[in-house]
Every structure is written in structure tokens, then in C-alpha cells.
Amino acid sequence: MLVFGRKQFAAHFRWFVAAVALTAGSVGWYLGEFAAGGSLPGGGSRVGLALGTGAALIIAFEMLLWPRKRFPGVRTLPWVRTQWWMKAHVWLGLLCGPVALLHTGFRLGGWLTTALAVVLTLVLVSGVWGLVLQHLLPRRMFELVPDEVPVAEIERVMTTHTDDFADRLAADRGAFGGEPVPGSEVLAEAFEKDARGYLTGRARPPALRVQDRAARWFADLTVSTHPASHARVRELEELCGLRRQLDAQARLHWWLHNWVWVHLPLSVALVGLLAAHVYTALRYI
């Protein structure tokens, strides 16, 4: 969706150009003031105050993303379309880094400004990490999990598949009055001992969780069962393969969505430090 790839970059090209132009303009202004004054302008200089104000306004805008997501009615307004807002969030957030750095005059100062600089850096790093994950993981999920299901439904789906397989296996054993299928007892023992718990998420046996080991496990099971049960063995193997796919999907989903629980608290801390920094600075003006 976001910044990587030719198509995605084309969709963000104007924002990229604007961010580069604003960064270049800020650097040019800063260097001009440096040339005129003979020393690096600090946060209290004309250019430092302007750039600091700009960085603060960007941070305030970035935090508006939370109420925008919180109140769905805002999304329908024409001037806050989702794509526009996300592009602005990405590129203004990246712009905030060099603008804030110029505001400092390349000096950290006391503990408050140091903490502010460190937290801002962590916010930017976690945001970029989130962009990378949002670009890479959906593609990886599509490659690894062709049978994707909603994450909240994984356990229900697998339990249904497992119960259906258990019913068919019971029929093979003659539970419903039919002729028992040779080899079904051996398969049933293996199913109840290892596979059922794995399929329903109650156990994590390495013999089935790791693909190479699972292949050996099923090869041994095939050898030990009658050829009449081999089709059912392959069916069980496919179910275990589906379980591995959905487990991979759940892991990727966790990484895709839980990075925000690092990014968001850091962002809140950043706002608090920024407010303290502004208050402290105004006391000395």
C-alpha cells in the first residue's frame, strides 16, 4: 500500500517531491543563517524557532491520526480521505526528523531535550519499521498461506476440519456399521496420539509443526499402514499442512499489526515531552 515498489512510489511521488523540497528549503535557510552569523543557529534563533514550530505542528498533525480512526464519521469528509491522510502521515513524519535536527542546532542540551530527541528517533524508526512490515508481510502471507482465513476464525475452522476428519476415520473403523478399512486402527492411534492435539491447537509437537519432520512422520505412518488407508493418511497430511499455513498466517498477522503497540506509546510519550519542552522554552523567552 505504502512507499515501496514502482506503483506505490508513483502514487507517493508528489509527496516525496514536496518532502525533499521542504527539507532542502529548511537546510538552505539554516545554512544561510549559519553563513550570516558565523555559528550554528540554535533552537532560540529565528530559523531555530521557525523550524521547531514546524516540527511541533507536524507532530500535532501526526497524532490526529488516532482521533481520525476513532471517529468513523470523520473518514467520510472529502478533505480527510484515507489515502491522502496516510500519505501525509508518512511523508510529514519523515520530514519531521531533519526539521527537528536543524532546530536543535546539532546540540542535545539538557536531559529533557535529549530525551525528546531520543524518543523522536525511536518514533521515526518504529514508524519506518511499520512501513516495511506493511509492505513485505502481506506479500509474504500471500505466498505462504494460499488458504488464508480470518485470524479470529483459525481455531474454529481447524476444529471443524478435525472433527470432520475424525468422523470419516470413525467410519473407516466401522463405527457406523460399515466394513472396517484395513490400517484404519493404526491411523486412528496416530491421529489421537499426536495429530488431533496439533490440529486443534492444544499441542505443538515438533514432529508435525516442522515441515521436514512432518514429511518423515507421514512417510513412516504410510509405511506402517495398509495401502487401503493411504488416501486417509494423505488427507491427514494435508490437514497438518493447512495447520502450519494458518500458524504462519497468525505469526505474520501478529507482526503486521502489533508493531503499533510500540509506535503508539512512544508517540504519546513524544507529545508529553514536547509539551514540557515548549513550556520550558517559553519560560525563558
PDB file of all heavy atoms in Angstrom, residues 25-60:
ATOM      1  N   GLY A  25      14.725  23.204   1.456  1.00  0.00           N
ATOM      2  CA  GLY A  25      14.498  24.594   1.831  1.00  0.00           C
ATOM      3  C   GLY A  25      14.911  24.875   3.266  1.00  0.00           C
ATOM      4  O   GLY A  25      15.514  25.918   3.564  1.00  0.00           O
ATOM      5  N   SER A  26      14.606  23.947   4.151  1.00  0.00           N
ATOM      6  CA  SER A  26      14.991  24.114   5.557  1.00  0.00           C
ATOM      7  C   SER A  26      16.504  24.126   5.717  1.00  0.00           C
ATOM      8  O   SER A  26      17.067  24.960   6.443  1.00  0.00           O
ATOM      9  CB  SER A  26      14.379  22.989   6.403  1.00  0.00           C
ATOM     10  OG  SER A  26      12.973  22.993   6.323  1.00  0.00           O
ATOM     11  N   VAL A  27      17.167  23.188   5.027  1.00  0.00           N
ATOM     12  CA  VAL A  27      18.630  23.137   5.096  1.00  0.00           C
ATOM     13  C   VAL A  27      19.235  24.410   4.506  1.00  0.00           C
ATOM     14  O   VAL A  27      20.183  24.990   5.070  1.00  0.00           O
ATOM     15  CB  VAL A  27      19.154  21.893   4.356  1.00  0.00           C
ATOM     16  CG1 VAL A  27      20.681  21.940   4.244  1.00  0.00           C
ATOM     17  CG2 VAL A  27      18.723  20.624   5.078  1.00  0.00           C
ATOM     18  N   GLY A  28      18.683  24.864   3.377  1.00  0.00           N
ATOM     19  CA  GLY A  28      19.201  26.084   2.760  1.00  0.00           C
ATOM     20  C   GLY A  28      19.047  27.286   3.661  1.00  0.00           C
ATOM     21  O   GLY A  28      19.978  28.103   3.772  1.00  0.00           O
ATOM     22  N   TRP A  29      17.892  27.438   4.279  1.00  0.00           N
ATOM     23  CA  TRP A  29      17.671  28.552   5.195  1.00  0.00           C
ATOM     24  C   TRP A  29      18.631  28.468   6.373  1.00  0.00           C
ATOM     25  O   TRP A  29      19.247  29.474   6.767  1.00  0.00           O
ATOM     26  CB  TRP A  29      16.225  28.537   5.675  1.00  0.00           C
ATOM     27  CG  TRP A  29      15.847  29.723   6.523  1.00  0.00           C
ATOM     28  CD1 TRP A  29      16.550  30.885   6.677  1.00  0.00           C
ATOM     29  CD2 TRP A  29      14.689  29.847   7.343  1.00  0.00           C
ATOM     30  NE1 TRP A  29      15.905  31.735   7.542  1.00  0.00           N
ATOM     31  CE2 TRP A  29      14.748  31.114   7.964  1.00  0.00           C
ATOM     32  CE3 TRP A  29      13.600  29.021   7.600  1.00  0.00           C
ATOM     33  CZ2 TRP A  29      13.758  31.564   8.831  1.00  0.00           C
ATOM     34  CZ3 TRP A  29      12.614  29.474   8.462  1.00  0.00           C
ATOM     35  CH2 TRP A  29      12.694  30.727   9.075  1.00  0.00           C
ATOM     36  N   TYR A  30      18.789  27.266   6.922  1.00  0.00           N
ATOM     37  CA  TYR A  30      19.668  27.078   8.071  1.00  0.00           C
ATOM     38  C   TYR A  30      21.112  27.429   7.704  1.00  0.00           C
ATOM     39  O   TYR A  30      21.811  28.134   8.460  1.00  0.00           O
ATOM     40  CB  TYR A  30      19.579  25.640   8.568  1.00  0.00           C
ATOM     41  CG  TYR A  30      20.340  25.398   9.851  1.00  0.00           C
ATOM     42  CD1 TYR A  30      19.748  25.626  11.080  1.00  0.00           C
ATOM     43  CD2 TYR A  30      21.662  24.940   9.815  1.00  0.00           C
ATOM     44  CE1 TYR A  30      20.445  25.399  12.255  1.00  0.00           C
ATOM     45  CE2 TYR A  30      22.361  24.714  10.990  1.00  0.00           C
ATOM     46  CZ  TYR A  30      21.750  24.949  12.202  1.00  0.00           C
ATOM     47  OH  TYR A  30      22.447  24.737  13.363  1.00  0.00           O
ATOM     48  N   LEU A  31      21.557  26.968   6.539  1.00  0.00           N
ATOM     49  CA  LEU A  31      22.927  27.269   6.117  1.00  0.00           C
ATOM     50  C   LEU A  31      23.109  28.755   5.859  1.00  0.00           C
ATOM     51  O   LEU A  31      24.195  29.310   6.115  1.00  0.00           O
ATOM     52  CB  LEU A  31      23.269  26.461   4.866  1.00  0.00           C
ATOM     53  CG  LEU A  31      23.378  24.938   5.065  1.00  0.00           C
ATOM     54  CD1 LEU A  31      23.667  24.251   3.740  1.00  0.00           C
ATOM     55  CD2 LEU A  31      24.469  24.609   6.089  1.00  0.00           C
ATOM     56  N   GLY A  32      22.046  29.408   5.354  1.00  0.00           N
ATOM     57  CA  GLY A  32      22.130  30.854   5.148  1.00  0.00           C
ATOM     58  C   GLY A  32      22.313  31.604   6.465  1.00  0.00           C
ATOM     59  O   GLY A  32      23.123  32.538   6.554  1.00  0.00           O
ATOM     60  N   GLU A  33      21.547  31.206   7.474  1.00  0.00           N
ATOM     61  CA  GLU A  33      21.690  31.832   8.788  1.00  0.00           C
ATOM     62  C   GLU A  33      23.058  31.533   9.400  1.00  0.00           C
ATOM     63  O   GLU A  33      23.665  32.388  10.063  1.00  0.00           O
ATOM     64  CB  GLU A  33      20.581  31.323   9.709  1.00  0.00           C
ATOM     65  CG  GLU A  33      19.190  31.752   9.320  1.00  0.00           C
ATOM     66  CD  GLU A  33      18.950  33.234   9.558  1.00  0.00           C
ATOM     67  OE1 GLU A  33      19.468  33.773  10.559  1.00  0.00           O
ATOM     68  OE2 GLU A  33      18.264  33.863   8.731  1.00  0.00           O
ATOM     69  N   PHE A  34      23.550  30.317   9.141  1.00  0.00           N
ATOM     70  CA  PHE A  34      24.872  29.943   9.634  1.00  0.00           C
ATOM     71  C   PHE A  34      25.952  30.800   8.978  1.00  0.00           C
ATOM     72  O   PHE A  34      26.876  31.294   9.648  1.00  0.00           O
ATOM     73  CB  PHE A  34      25.126  28.472   9.356  1.00  0.00           C
ATOM     74  CG  PHE A  34      26.545  28.040   9.588  1.00  0.00           C
ATOM     75  CD1 PHE A  34      27.149  28.178  10.825  1.00  0.00           C
ATOM     76  CD2 PHE A  34      27.287  27.496   8.546  1.00  0.00           C
ATOM     77  CE1 PHE A  34      28.458  27.772  11.041  1.00  0.00           C
ATOM     78  CE2 PHE A  34      28.600  27.096   8.749  1.00  0.00           C
ATOM     79  CZ  PHE A  34      29.192  27.234   9.992  1.00  0.00           C
ATOM     80  N   ALA A  35      25.828  31.000   7.684  1.00  0.00           N
ATOM     81  CA  ALA A  35      26.809  31.817   6.965  1.00  0.00           C
ATOM     82  C   ALA A  35      26.772  33.264   7.435  1.00  0.00           C
ATOM     83  O   ALA A  35      27.815  33.921   7.555  1.00  0.00           O
ATOM     84  CB  ALA A  35      26.560  31.734   5.462  1.00  0.00           C
ATOM     85  N   ALA A  36      25.558  33.753   7.719  1.00  0.00           N
ATOM     86  CA  ALA A  36      25.435  35.150   8.141  1.00  0.00           C
ATOM     87  C   ALA A  36      25.934  35.361   9.565  1.00  0.00           C
ATOM     88  O   ALA A  36      26.543  36.393   9.872  1.00  0.00           O
ATOM     89  CB  ALA A  36      23.975  35.592   8.031  1.00  0.00           C
ATOM     90  N   GLY A  37      25.708  34.391  10.434  1.00  0.00           N
ATOM     91  CA  GLY A  37      26.071  34.572  11.839  1.00  0.00           C
ATOM     92  C   GLY A  37      27.420  34.003  12.209  1.00  0.00           C
ATOM     93  O   GLY A  37      27.975  34.343  13.263  1.00  0.00           O
ATOM     94  N   GLY A  38      27.958  33.109  11.414  1.00  0.00           N
ATOM     95  CA  GLY A  38      29.270  32.538  11.705  1.00  0.00           C
ATOM     96  C   GLY A  38      29.250  31.410  12.705  1.00  0.00           C
ATOM     97  O   GLY A  38      30.307  30.887  13.062  1.00  0.00           O
ATOM     98  N   SER A  39      28.066  31.011  13.202  1.00  0.00           N
ATOM     99  CA  SER A  39      27.968  29.885  14.132  1.00  0.00           C
ATOM    100  C   SER A  39      26.649  29.160  13.866  1.00  0.00           C
ATOM    101  O   SER A  39      25.732  29.712  13.253  1.00  0.00           O
ATOM    102  CB  SER A  39      28.019  30.361  15.593  1.00  0.00           C
ATOM    103  OG  SER A  39      26.936  31.236  15.874  1.00  0.00           O
ATOM    104  N   LEU A  40      26.592  27.911  14.330  1.00  0.00           N
ATOM    105  CA  LEU A  40      25.382  27.130  14.096  1.00  0.00           C
ATOM    106  C   LEU A  40      24.213  27.715  14.871  1.00  0.00           C
ATOM    107  O   LEU A  40      24.279  27.836  16.103  1.00  0.00           O
ATOM    108  CB  LEU A  40      25.602  25.676  14.512  1.00  0.00           C
ATOM    109  CG  LEU A  40      26.592  24.855  13.678  1.00  0.00           C
ATOM    110  CD1 LEU A  40      26.817  23.498  14.321  1.00  0.00           C
ATOM    111  CD2 LEU A  40      26.072  24.695  12.259  1.00  0.00           C
ATOM    112  N   PRO A  41      23.128  28.072  14.188  1.00  0.00           N
ATOM    113  CA  PRO A  41      21.953  28.607  14.895  1.00  0.00           C
ATOM    114  C   PRO A  41      21.350  27.558  15.809  1.00  0.00           C
ATOM    115  O   PRO A  41      21.235  26.384  15.433  1.00  0.00           O
ATOM    116  CB  PRO A  41      20.994  28.974  13.758  1.00  0.00           C
ATOM    117  CG  PRO A  41      21.841  29.080  12.541  1.00  0.00           C
ATOM    118  CD  PRO A  41      22.946  28.086  12.728  1.00  0.00           C
ATOM    119  N   GLY A  42      20.977  27.972  16.997  1.00  0.00           N
ATOM    120  CA  GLY A  42      20.351  27.055  17.942  1.00  0.00           C
ATOM    121  C   GLY A  42      18.848  27.157  17.910  1.00  0.00           C
ATOM    122  O   GLY A  42      18.260  27.838  17.059  1.00  0.00           O
ATOM    123  N   GLY A  43      18.208  26.504  18.884  1.00  0.00           N
ATOM    124  CA  GLY A  43      16.762  26.493  18.915  1.00  0.00           C
ATOM    125  C   GLY A  43      16.141  27.847  19.187  1.00  0.00           C
ATOM    126  O   GLY A  43      14.986  28.074  18.822  1.00  0.00           O
ATOM    127  N   GLY A  44      16.881  28.769  19.826  1.00  0.00           N
ATOM    128  CA  GLY A  44      16.330  30.084  20.117  1.00  0.00           C
ATOM    129  C   GLY A  44      16.517  31.094  19.005  1.00  0.00           C
ATOM    130  O   GLY A  44      16.011  32.222  19.106  1.00  0.00           O
ATOM    131  N   SER A  45      17.221  30.746  17.949  1.00  0.00           N
ATOM    132  CA  SER A  45      17.416  31.659  16.824  1.00  0.00           C
ATOM    133  C   SER A  45      16.145  31.759  15.988  1.00  0.00           C
ATOM    134  O   SER A  45      15.186  31.003  16.183  1.00  0.00           O
ATOM    135  CB  SER A  45      18.576  31.169  15.951  1.00  0.00           C
ATOM    136  OG  SER A  45      18.240  29.926  15.351  1.00  0.00           O
ATOM    137  N   ARG A  46      16.150  32.698  15.039  1.00  0.00           N
ATOM    138  CA  ARG A  46      14.980  32.876  14.192  1.00  0.00           C
ATOM    139  C   ARG A  46      14.666  31.592  13.417  1.00  0.00           C
ATOM    140  O   ARG A  46      13.533  31.114  13.419  1.00  0.00           O
ATOM    141  CB  ARG A  46      15.211  34.043  13.227  1.00  0.00           C
ATOM    142  CG  ARG A  46      14.049  34.298  12.288  1.00  0.00           C
ATOM    143  CD  ARG A  46      14.310  35.507  11.427  1.00  0.00           C
ATOM    144  NE  ARG A  46      15.520  35.312  10.609  1.00  0.00           N
ATOM    145  CZ  ARG A  46      15.945  36.201   9.706  1.00  0.00           C
ATOM    146  NH1 ARG A  46      15.290  37.341   9.543  1.00  0.00           N
ATOM    147  NH2 ARG A  46      17.044  35.958   9.007  1.00  0.00           N
ATOM    148  N   VAL A  47      15.674  31.050  12.768  1.00  0.00           N
ATOM    149  CA  VAL A  47      15.446  29.826  11.999  1.00  0.00           C
ATOM    150  C   VAL A  47      15.151  28.654  12.931  1.00  0.00           C
ATOM    151  O   VAL A  47      14.329  27.778  12.623  1.00  0.00           O
ATOM    152  CB  VAL A  47      16.655  29.526  11.093  1.00  0.00           C
ATOM    153  CG1 VAL A  47      17.914  29.239  11.906  1.00  0.00           C
ATOM    154  CG2 VAL A  47      16.357  28.355  10.163  1.00  0.00           C
ATOM    155  N   GLY A  48      15.803  28.619  14.098  1.00  0.00           N
ATOM    156  CA  GLY A  48      15.561  27.529  15.040  1.00  0.00           C
ATOM    157  C   GLY A  48      14.139  27.531  15.565  1.00  0.00           C
ATOM    158  O   GLY A  48      13.500  26.477  15.656  1.00  0.00           O
ATOM    159  N   LEU A  49      13.618  28.720  15.911  1.00  0.00           N
ATOM    160  CA  LEU A  49      12.238  28.804  16.386  1.00  0.00           C
ATOM    161  C   LEU A  49      11.250  28.404  15.295  1.00  0.00           C
ATOM    162  O   LEU A  49      10.268  27.715  15.553  1.00  0.00           O
ATOM    163  CB  LEU A  49      11.947  30.224  16.871  1.00  0.00           C
ATOM    164  CG  LEU A  49      12.567  30.618  18.213  1.00  0.00           C
ATOM    165  CD1 LEU A  49      12.343  32.100  18.481  1.00  0.00           C
ATOM    166  CD2 LEU A  49      11.960  29.783  19.342  1.00  0.00           C
ATOM    167  N   ALA A  50      11.516  28.871  14.074  1.00  0.00           N
ATOM    168  CA  ALA A  50      10.610  28.539  12.973  1.00  0.00           C
ATOM    169  C   ALA A  50      10.585  27.044  12.704  1.00  0.00           C
ATOM    170  O   ALA A  50       9.518  26.436  12.543  1.00  0.00           O
ATOM    171  CB  ALA A  50      11.022  29.299  11.717  1.00  0.00           C
ATOM    172  N   LEU A  51      11.768  26.437  12.660  1.00  0.00           N
ATOM    173  CA  LEU A  51      11.829  25.006  12.399  1.00  0.00           C
ATOM    174  C   LEU A  51      11.263  24.200  13.570  1.00  0.00           C
ATOM    175  O   LEU A  51      10.605  23.172  13.366  1.00  0.00           O
ATOM    176  CB  LEU A  51      13.269  24.578  12.113  1.00  0.00           C
ATOM    177  CG  LEU A  51      13.870  25.133  10.815  1.00  0.00           C
ATOM    178  CD1 LEU A  51      15.341  24.755  10.704  1.00  0.00           C
ATOM    179  CD2 LEU A  51      13.102  24.623   9.600  1.00  0.00           C
ATOM    180  N   GLY A  52      11.515  24.649  14.793  1.00  0.00           N
ATOM    181  CA  GLY A  52      10.944  23.968  15.955  1.00  0.00           C
ATOM    182  C   GLY A  52       9.425  24.029  15.946  1.00  0.00           C
ATOM    183  O   GLY A  52       8.756  23.034  16.263  1.00  0.00           O
ATOM    184  N   THR A  53       8.880  25.189  15.587  1.00  0.00           N
ATOM    185  CA  THR A  53       7.424  25.322  15.491  1.00  0.00           C
ATOM    186  C   THR A  53       6.869  24.400  14.405  1.00  0.00           C
ATOM    187  O   THR A  53       5.844  23.744  14.586  1.00  0.00           O
ATOM    188  CB  THR A  53       7.043  26.778  15.187  1.00  0.00           C
ATOM    189  OG1 THR A  53       7.543  27.626  16.233  1.00  0.00           O
ATOM    190  CG2 THR A  53       5.537  26.935  15.081  1.00  0.00           C
ATOM    191  N   GLY A  54       7.590  24.341  13.286  1.00  0.00           N
ATOM    192  CA  GLY A  54       7.157  23.458  12.214  1.00  0.00           C
ATOM    193  C   GLY A  54       7.154  22.005  12.638  1.00  0.00           C
ATOM    194  O   GLY A  54       6.205  21.249  12.365  1.00  0.00           O
ATOM    195  N   ALA A  55       8.209  21.579  13.334  1.00  0.00           N
ATOM    196  CA  ALA A  55       8.281  20.193  13.804  1.00  0.00           C
ATOM    197  C   ALA A  55       7.165  19.901  14.800  1.00  0.00           C
ATOM    198  O   ALA A  55       6.549  18.815  14.763  1.00  0.00           O
ATOM    199  CB  ALA A  55       9.642  19.928  14.442  1.00  0.00           C
ATOM    200  N   ALA A  56       6.878  20.853  15.692  1.00  0.00           N
ATOM    201  CA  ALA A  56       5.811  20.660  16.671  1.00  0.00           C
ATOM    202  C   ALA A  56       4.453  20.529  15.990  1.00  0.00           C
ATOM    203  O   ALA A  56       3.626  19.690  16.371  1.00  0.00           O
ATOM    204  CB  ALA A  56       5.798  21.818  17.668  1.00  0.00           C
ATOM    205  N   LEU A  57       4.212  21.354  14.971  1.00  0.00           N
ATOM    206  CA  LEU A  57       2.941  21.275  14.239  1.00  0.00           C
ATOM    207  C   LEU A  57       2.814  19.943  13.501  1.00  0.00           C
ATOM    208  O   LEU A  57       1.727  19.366  13.417  1.00  0.00           O
ATOM    209  CB  LEU A  57       2.830  22.445  13.262  1.00  0.00           C
ATOM    210  CG  LEU A  57       2.659  23.829  13.900  1.00  0.00           C
ATOM    211  CD1 LEU A  57       2.686  24.912  12.831  1.00  0.00           C
ATOM    212  CD2 LEU A  57       1.346  23.894  14.688  1.00  0.00           C
ATOM    213  N   ILE A  58       3.935  19.452  12.958  1.00  0.00           N
ATOM    214  CA  ILE A  58       3.903  18.146  12.290  1.00  0.00           C
ATOM    215  C   ILE A  58       3.540  17.054  13.284  1.00  0.00           C
ATOM    216  O   ILE A  58       2.704  16.180  12.998  1.00  0.00           O
ATOM    217  CB  ILE A  58       5.254  17.844  11.626  1.00  0.00           C
ATOM    218  CG1 ILE A  58       5.465  18.759  10.415  1.00  0.00           C
ATOM    219  CG2 ILE A  58       5.332  16.379  11.201  1.00  0.00           C
ATOM    220  CD1 ILE A  58       6.836  18.633   9.786  1.00  0.00           C
ATOM    221  N   ILE A  59       4.152  17.095  14.474  1.00  0.00           N
ATOM    222  CA  ILE A  59       3.855  16.086  15.488  1.00  0.00           C
ATOM    223  C   ILE A  59       2.386  16.143  15.893  1.00  0.00           C
ATOM    224  O   ILE A  59       1.719  15.104  16.053  1.00  0.00           O
ATOM    225  CB  ILE A  59       4.775  16.271  16.707  1.00  0.00           C
ATOM    226  CG1 ILE A  59       6.228  15.942  16.319  1.00  0.00           C
ATOM    227  CG2 ILE A  59       4.330  15.401  17.878  1.00  0.00           C
ATOM    228  CD1 ILE A  59       7.246  16.281  17.385  1.00  0.00           C
ATOM    229  N   ALA A  60       1.860  17.372  16.034  1.00  0.00           N
ATOM    230  CA  ALA A  60       0.444  17.511  16.376  1.00  0.00           C
ATOM    231  C   ALA A  60      -0.435  16.909  15.283  1.00  0.00           C
ATOM    232  O   ALA A  60      -1.424  16.220  15.560  1.00  0.00           O
ATOM    233  CB  ALA A  60       0.106  18.990  16.588  1.00  0.00           C
TER     234      ALA A  60
END
